[in-house]
């Protein structure tokens, strides 16, 4: 790999794409050249990178000549169509969509957990589901110490996970409700302002949603733990940014709060914020825009054997997407 790679961001105008550009800059990624790609709608629009204005180009099958690393975040269908073209042209693709995550020939990587998997890529590396990545940041170190068998979890997912249009929808609906006007809906099937929706992604015949099953499926692949089980309810909440997850985890070995806290306080990319007496626990409002995830409300589960409850919060645009993608790109340069 070129030490100063030519990097492309595909979906540069999107909620994640914008964060990818910022993260490359903030982490001083040694970008030789930056190419920004989006749909024809955005062609010619300019975005800033290191004080320079870069014009966005329309994504076409000829976009990848000379590009070393392509960070994709333009939706599953764009990835399905263009990531194989990019890989064929010699790029390494880091794909934020779900298109290739469960493909056996594609590594699925959270660098703090399975950075070695980057090595066996064949041109495409998948970035995990945001809620899964955030949950595993706390669960994996506990798994290493106590051996996780299964979890029961509920997520509280921010609207920015749906994309830039959903942020606008929440803002618009809050204005409409406060002004006493009828609420208009474009993105979500129900009003999201002053409401919570137990519906993220599409429903499966089992009654779970696709998003809910990502925790078990992607969790098994990332942790190299084929018997891991996860029963999850994913909920969209009227929060701009950062996902929260309430987890009850059952382990093979006995677990105490003290032992768990020792493990979690040493975990990379994770801060323990857990002092209920002082009303200190992770809050999405304050985790937004932070690289590290936060864990708190650590307590022994009263309904499981060898069980532990915790509350983990992470910026899903960063650890759940852009930061994790740039960290994977950093691994490629090592
Ligand atoms: P555009 O702004 O030109 O539509 P979000 O998840 O925030 O909605 O962002 C989606 C991103 O994916 C945007 O940058 C969007 O570009 C881009 N995108 C969507 N469809 C395509 C496509 N067919 N080709 C290239 N980029 C696309």
């Amino acid at each position: 790999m070129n030490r100063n790679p030519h990097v492309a961001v595909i979906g540069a105008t999107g909620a994640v794409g914008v964060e990818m550009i910022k993260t490359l800059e903030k982490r001083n990624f040694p970008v030789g050249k930056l190419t920004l790609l989006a749909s024809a709608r955005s062609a010619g629009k300019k975005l800033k990178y290191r004080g320079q204005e870069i014009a966005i180009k329309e994504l076409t099958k000829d976009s990848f000549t000379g590009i070393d690393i392509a960070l994709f975040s333009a939706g599953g269908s764009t990835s399905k169509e263009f990531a194989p073209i990019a890989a064929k042209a010699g790029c390494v693709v880091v794909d934020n969509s779900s298109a290739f995550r469960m493909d056996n020939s594609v590594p699925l990587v959270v660098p703090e957990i399975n950075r070695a998997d980057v090595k066996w890529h064949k041109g495409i590396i998948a970035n995990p589901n945001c809620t899964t990545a955030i949950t595993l940041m706390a669960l994996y170190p506990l798994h290493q110490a106590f051996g996780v068998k299964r979890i029961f979890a509920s997520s509280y997912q921010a609207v920015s996970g749906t994309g830039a249009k959903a942020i606008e929808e929440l803002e618009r609906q809050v204005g409409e409700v406060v002004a006493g006007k009828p609420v208009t809906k474009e993105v979500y099937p129900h009003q999201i302002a002053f409401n919570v929706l137990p519906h993220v992604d599409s429903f499966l015949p089992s009654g779970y949603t696709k998003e809910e099953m990502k925790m078990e499926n992607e969790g098994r692949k990332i942790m190299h733990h084929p018997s891991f089980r996860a029963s999850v309810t994913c909920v969209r909440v009227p929060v701009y940014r950062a996902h929260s997850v309430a987890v009850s985890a059952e382990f093979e070995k006995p677990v105490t709060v003290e032992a768990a806290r020792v493990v979690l306080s040493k975990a990379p990319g994770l801060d323990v914020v857990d002092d209920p007496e002082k009303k200190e626990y992770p809050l999405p409002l304050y985790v937004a825009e932070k690289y590290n995830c936060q864990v708190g409300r650590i307590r022994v589960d009263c309904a499981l054997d060898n069980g532990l409850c915790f509350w983990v919060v992470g910026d899903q645009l960063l650890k759940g997407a852009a930061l994790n993608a740039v960290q994977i790109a950093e691994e490629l340069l090592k």
Side-chain angles (χ1 to χ4, degrees), residues 10-17 37-43 45 56 58-59 73-75 77-78 81-82 160-165:
I10 294 91
T13 50
V16 173
L37 300 165
S39 77
R41 295 179 289 274
S42 306
K45 228 179 110 181
I56 296 165
E58 180 186 355
L59 171 66
S73 193
S77 56
T78 304
E81 185 178 352
F82 289 96
S160 50
T162 312
K165 285 208 173 72

Side-chain angles (χ1 to χ4, degrees), residues 22-205:
K22 277 197 215 160
T23 305
L24 288 168
E25 180 166 339
K26 271 202 193 158
R27 290 176 70 90
N28 269 319
F29 189 85
V31 175
K33 185 178 174 195
L34 185 64
T35 291
L36 303 181
L37 300 165
S39 77
R41 295 179 289 274
S42 306
K45 228 179 110 181
K46 286 178 179 155
L47 287 174
K48 271 213 168 131
Y49 172 72
R50 290 191 178 274
Q52 272 189 325
E53 299 231 301
I54 302 181
I56 296 165
K57 292 185 194 149
E58 180 186 355
L59 171 66
T60 70
K61 59 183 176 13
D62 303 318
S63 297
F64 301 101
T65 316
I67 289 168
D68 300 300
I69 298 176
L71 306 178
F72 270 73
S73 193
S77 56
T78 304
S79 290
K80 272 195 187 123
E81 185 178 352
F82 289 96
I85 295 172
K88 223 174 179 183
C91 297
V92 182
V93 171
V94 182
D95 182 35
N96 193 50
S97 81
S98 60
F100 302 100
R101 287 181 192 147
M102 297 315 295
D103 184 326
N104 284 336
S105 64
V106 173
L108 175 65
V109 178
V110 175
E112 290 87 347
I113 301 174
N114 63 330
R115 57 166 41 86
D117 285 340
V118 165
K119 292 198 189 97
W120 56 265
H121 79 80
K122 296 177 180 67
I124 303 177
I125 302 165
N127 218 26
N129 166 257
C130 47
T131 304
T132 303
I134 290 162
T135 304
L136 295 187
M137 289 299 286
L139 185 65
Y140 182 70
L142 294 169
H143 167 56
Q144 283 181 300
F146 310 109
V148 69
K149 284 161 70 173
R150 56 179 181 163
I151 65 167
F152 302 90
S154 291
S155 70
Y156 302 69
Q157 301 187 209
V159 293
S160 50
T162 312
K165 285 208 173 72
I167 304 173
E168 285 162 31
E169 175 134 320
L170 173 58
E171 255 169 27
R172 189 188 67 244
Q173 288 185 352
V174 167
E176 288 166 347
V177 171
V178 171
K181 290 185 187 158
V183 168
T184 54
K185 298 181 292 250
E186 282 170 25
V187 177
Y188 295 115
H190 303 282
Q191 177 182 326
I192 184 66
F194 307 100
N195 204 5
V196 297
L197 311 180
H199 178 185
V200 180
D201 208 339
S202 47
F203 284 97
L204 295 163

Side-chain angles (χ1 to χ4, degrees), residues 208-282:
Y208 283 97
T209 66
K210 282 187 182 170
E211 181 87 351
E212 288 163 353
M213 293 316 297
K214 289 171 190 171
M215 187 81 83
E216 178 169 288
N217 296 329
E218 297 184 22
R220 287 177 173 185
K221 184 166 174 178
I222 296 164
M223 296 195 288
H224 299 180
H225 184 354
S227 62
F228 170 64
R229 299 179 73 184
S231 174
V232 183
T233 303
C234 287
V235 183
R236 188 72 63 189
V237 296
V239 165
Y240 276 140
R241 187 162 165 163
H243 289 357
S244 309
V245 193
V247 183
S248 282
E250 187 178 47
F251 297 94
E252 302 280 355
K253 296 183 194 160
V255 53
T256 64
V257 169
E258 295 69 31
R261 213 171 262 163
V262 168
V263 166
L264 293 169
S265 61
K266 289 183 195 153
L270 185 73
D271 297 327
V272 177
V273 178
D274 193 25
D275 196 343
E277 290 297 308
K278 292 189 187 153
K279 302 184 180 66
E280 284 177 9
Y281 25 71

